[in-house]
Amino acid sequence: MSASSPLVKPAATFPVSVVMECVTRQANRWSARTWRAVAVVAGDSLSSTPVPGSPIHSDTESEQYLWRGFSLELYKDATESYWRNLMSPHPVLCVICQPDDDGQPVPVTVTADYDQASAGMEADDTVYAVPMPPGMYGWLGVFVVEYSQPTPRKARKGKQGLQEEPHASPPPRVRHPRS
């Protein structure tokens, strides 16, 4: 895929930030912490400087952190994957995370490409799907229309490509006597 190649530059980029949530659940004497991506915030006003996990919300059960400095990068050769995403009942952005030294997920990439998200899962990264922001949906749709290349139709084989079987005569009709 082009996104992993350092030689291929994205055709378009859009600044985004990721909201991660840590939920603490108490089970008997033990507590368990679970992480998940809850949103991707899009817009030009976001800082392009990477800022790891700034706290934005906290209560007795959960904490939310904002990870800034990401860009959603779009590549011309991935328009088919973007199109499948846009045509799904619930278009998403995928947040690909890798574990830090403590085993907690840290966002490393935001993508709209199902194939890139799938490659992340195959590489044992954690991938979270979050709803696509409405403004991002329109921007991605314009990109797909502008850069998609329709796949050429394959020619169908004519009769010369098919071998015909000799016609067999129909089976004889059997008459049943009426009672």
Side-chain angles (χ1 to χ4, degrees), residues 26-92:
Q26 193 70 28
N28 298 330
R29 295 184 304 170
W30 307 99
S31 62
R33 297 180 76 188
T34 57
W35 286 86
R36 67 184 182 116
V38 293
V40 171
V41 183
D44 292 326
S45 63
L46 300 172
S47 168
S48 61
T49 306
V51 178
S54 303
I56 57 173
H57 172 76
S58 180
D59 61 28
T60 58
E61 296 178 1
S62 68
E63 301 165 348
Q64 290 184 345
Y65 300 89
L66 183 66
W67 295 76
R68 295 183 185 183
F70 294 98
S71 290
L72 178 65
E73 298 177 342
L74 301 182
Y75 296 87
K76 294 177 185 178
D77 65 345
T79 55
E80 185 176 336
S81 180
Y82 304 146
W83 178 253
R84 286 193 319 259
N85 188 349
L86 290 171
M87 293 297 103
S88 70
H90 305 286
V92 298

Side-chain angles (χ1 to χ4, degrees), residues 105-170:
V106 175
V108 292
T109 304
V110 177
T111 184
D113 183 354
Y114 283 156
D115 298 331
Q116 185 180 4
S118 179
M121 287 188 286
E122 288 177 6
D124 290 332
D125 294 335
T126 303
V127 179
Y128 300 101
V130 298
M132 185 179 295
M136 188 72 64
Y137 183 89
W139 178 71
L140 186 58
V142 168
F143 181 87
V144 168
V145 169
E146 184 174 343
Y147 291 107
S148 66
Q149 297 292 325
T151 55
R153 293 183 61 173
K154 293 182 180 179
R156 294 178 16 185
K157 289 187 178 182
K159 288 186 179 181
Q160 64 272 22
L162 302 175
Q163 292 197 5
E164 295 183 20
E165 294 183 22
H167 293 288
S169 57

